[in-house]
Amino acid sequence: MERLGTGIGWRPEIADAVERMPGIDWVEAVAENVCPGHLPDSLLRLRERGVTVIPHGVSLGLGGADRPDEGRLTALAERAEALGSPLVTEHIAFVRAGGPLTASPLLEAGHLLPVPRTRDALDVLCENIRIAQAALPVPLAVENIAALLAWPGEEMTEGQFLYELADRTGVRLLIDVANLHTNHVNRGEDPAKALAELPVEAIAYVHVAGGIERDGVWHDTHAHPVPAPVLAILTDLASRVSPPGVLLERDDNFPEPAVLERELEAIQGALTKGWARSAARRVPSREGQAISAVGASETAPAPEATAAARQRLALAQTALLSALVAATPVPDGFDRVRLGVQARALGVKRADVVAKVAPELPEILGELYRPTFLAYAHSHPMTGGYRRDALDFAGQLLLSGGPEDAEVRRELREWWLERSGPVPRSARPAVRLARATRRVLLRR
């Protein structure tokens, strides 16, 4: 595996700081936020300096019951080629459910949700990863995710699930030590046991991030400092293998560049401590072992068996997602309290992301925006992307007679009309005058 070194997540908000930051060997960019034909100048400058850029996907849904969408795969491949990346990464998660497999409306989570660690889910995930590998121009690495809830009836631990996945497909692994900590707090899973069960020679690189604990639940926010327990897990991992790369993730609440630099120094310190511990124990390093040591070693299940597994997985994932975003009954075996926490977290995330992609909405609605959107989200699942969600929210609010303030309602209606048609409304003075005249006449 190519040595990457020390990296940081590239985000537009800290692009200038990342360019000036010392000791950065590579960066990771959210694939869906990068347009191959119009790469940000900051990324182009980094590429010219020889800094590796890796696209990190968040919407493919490899852990879902459906086969990976060809359009999304093509888009991910285009970004890898435009950035000259040595690999691309995605998540072991499902992000949507429903549709033809269940003869029900397609639902979008707007978030990464855990797959059950069962044979059915593993068979489907392995086939989906093989499809993705065949469509991508560079190797694929997949990331373990953080979870607020656990599936009932799981048949494997996280380490066992990841080992079999890598063994059957040869896929590389992106190990997020912050997510191992999250699952320790939220699900009682031992990070050391997970690391002991992993095929560490399959690790492509490692994520490190911060979070926050509220009411006994750890939230993987990527908006808070990296805590000591996460660094301790990184030290444990480094005592077992020297990872090809380690990257600091930060997605919000960005601190001063000096704070990020100190976090990178702390990460390097945790790695050094782990390497020293390995040397003291005289544990031979597995660095440099061929990734093919974990290559595909098992014959894929028969197509009809995987098709049946897809059907069962589709029904289970749709029932869970519907309970989370459409207030349908909680499926048997799930923790109702924890599922409620996850449902509220999904609503808050929807509100936050919609406010970013459509910043005019909180400007128009002011303090009404958040409570109004959360009430809307409780009974209106997301069926498309966040931009569609913003339009649907505004349209529903207008249909229900809100907002009460006539001027706010007028502004919201104008915003919705400008964006909801097949083409933007004309800004020509004559057309705008005609629209204004029509509004006056309709009020009479």
Side-chain angles (χ1 to χ4, degrees):
M1 178 64 210
E2 177 179 334
R3 298 297 301 179
L4 293 169
T6 301
I8 189 168
W10 182 91
R11 304 293 183 265
E13 296 88 341
I14 55 172
D16 292 341
V18 168
E19 287 189 61
R20 296 191 299 267
M21 211 168 280
I24 297 298
D25 303 306
W26 64 290
V27 299
E28 181 189 77
V30 176
E32 288 79 358
N33 294 345
V34 175
C35 178
H38 302 279
L39 294 176
D41 291 341
S42 173
L43 286 182
L44 291 175
R45 287 191 293 268
L46 288 169
R47 288 287 299 126
E48 290 170 0
R49 282 167 37 192
V51 175
T52 299
V53 182
I54 293 177
H56 184 53
V58 297
S59 64
L60 195 53
L62 289 170
D66 289 309
R67 292 171 173 270
D69 180 78
E70 291 183 8
R72 294 179 190 275
L73 282 174
T74 298
L76 192 55
E78 288 173 347
R79 283 149 179 78
E81 291 175 335
L83 293 167
S85 306
L87 75 160
V88 297
T89 58
E90 247 291 353
H91 297 82
I92 300 169
F94 78 100
V95 296
R96 61 190 64 86
L101 277 175
T102 58
S104 62
L106 182 67
L107 300 174
E108 291 277 349
H111 189 67
L112 304 167
L113 295 176
V115 301
R117 297 172 195 153
T118 61
R119 291 290 166 190
D120 275 355
L122 181 61
D123 288 346
V124 171
L125 178 61
C126 285
E127 185 172 78
N128 286 350
I129 283 179
R130 291 189 188 102
I131 293 169
Q133 287 170 320
L136 295 170
V138 293
L140 170 69
V142 290
E143 179 183 356
N144 60 302
I145 72 161
L148 286 173
L149 51 85
W151 283 82
E154 293 193 317
E155 300 164 350
M156 288 168 273
T157 64
E158 181 162 37
Q160 291 167 344
F161 191 85
L162 293 176
Y163 188 97
E164 287 214 29
L165 176 64
D167 190 46
R168 288 172 57 173
T169 65
V171 73
R172 291 161 168 79
L173 299 177
L174 192 181
I175 297 301
D176 191 316
V177 292
N179 290 348
L180 292 179
H181 173 65
T182 301
N183 294 343
H184 170 63
V185 176
N186 293 347
R187 299 169 54 157
E189 297 175 351
D190 184 0
K193 186 174 187 293
L195 292 177
E197 293 173 339
L198 285 178
V200 291
E201 65 274 17
I203 294 177
Y205 61 88
V206 175
H207 272 175
V208 183
I212 189 171
E213 186 171 349
R214 289 193 295 265
D215 300 324
V217 175
W218 186 267
H219 296 269
D220 179 46
T221 62
H222 292 192
H224 294 82
V226 177
V230 171
L231 293 175
I233 298 172
L234 178 62
T235 294
D236 187 4
L237 185 150
S239 74
R240 302 168 189 270
V241 67
S242 179
V246 178
L247 179 131
L248 172 64
E249 283 190 295
R250 188 78 174 220
D251 293 330
D252 206 351
N253 192 27
F254 297 100
E256 292 299 315
V259 176
L260 294 175
E261 290 173 20
R262 287 196 293 272
E263 289 207 304
L264 288 167
E265 291 172 2
I267 288 170
Q268 190 59 46
L271 290 170
T272 302
K273 187 186 297 185
W275 295 331
R277 187 180 299 173
S278 174
R281 290 201 312 241
R282 299 183 183 277
V283 176
S285 173
R286 296 169 74 175
E287 177 184 352
Q289 288 189 8
I291 198 80
S292 59
V294 196
S297 64
E298 182 177 316
T299 303
E304 59 272 17
T306 304
R310 285 188 185 279
Q311 184 74 50
R312 292 189 293 269
L313 184 64
L315 292 170
Q317 290 181 339
T318 302
L320 173 60
L321 185 52
S322 181
L324 288 170
V325 303
T328 57
V330 175
D332 291 341
F334 282 95
D335 184 321
R336 292 175 180 273
V337 173
R338 190 56 60 84
L339 193 142
V341 172
Q342 179 70 84
R344 288 190 292 275
L346 290 179
V348 168
K349 181 176 182 179
R350 276 177 71 183
D352 290 343
V353 178
V354 165
K356 286 184 177 181
V357 302
E360 303 87 356
L361 288 177
E363 290 176 6
I364 293 170
L365 295 173
E367 294 182 356
L368 286 174
Y369 169 72
R370 184 164 292 271
T372 305
F373 186 91
L374 291 176
Y376 159 82
H378 181 70
S379 56
H380 295 82
M382 186 163 64
T383 57
Y386 283 108
R387 287 179 175 80
R388 180 73 257 170
D389 204 24
L391 285 172
D392 290 346
F393 162 64
Q396 183 62 36
L397 183 56
L398 291 167
L399 283 174
S400 66
E404 291 184 5
D405 186 295
E407 179 60 22
V408 173
R409 179 176 173 80
R410 184 194 66 76
E411 285 188 49
L412 183 64
R413 182 175 181 275
E414 283 297 309
W415 180 89
W416 183 82
L417 288 172
E418 289 286 349
R419 290 158 180 79
S420 61
V423 295
R425 302 177 84 202
S426 175
R428 291 167 52 195
V431 177
R432 294 178 64 182
L433 177 61
R435 287 204 300 263
T437 303
R438 181 172 180 272
R439 287 198 298 270
V440 172
L441 291 173
L442 288 173
R443 292 193 189 109
R444 293 180 177 177

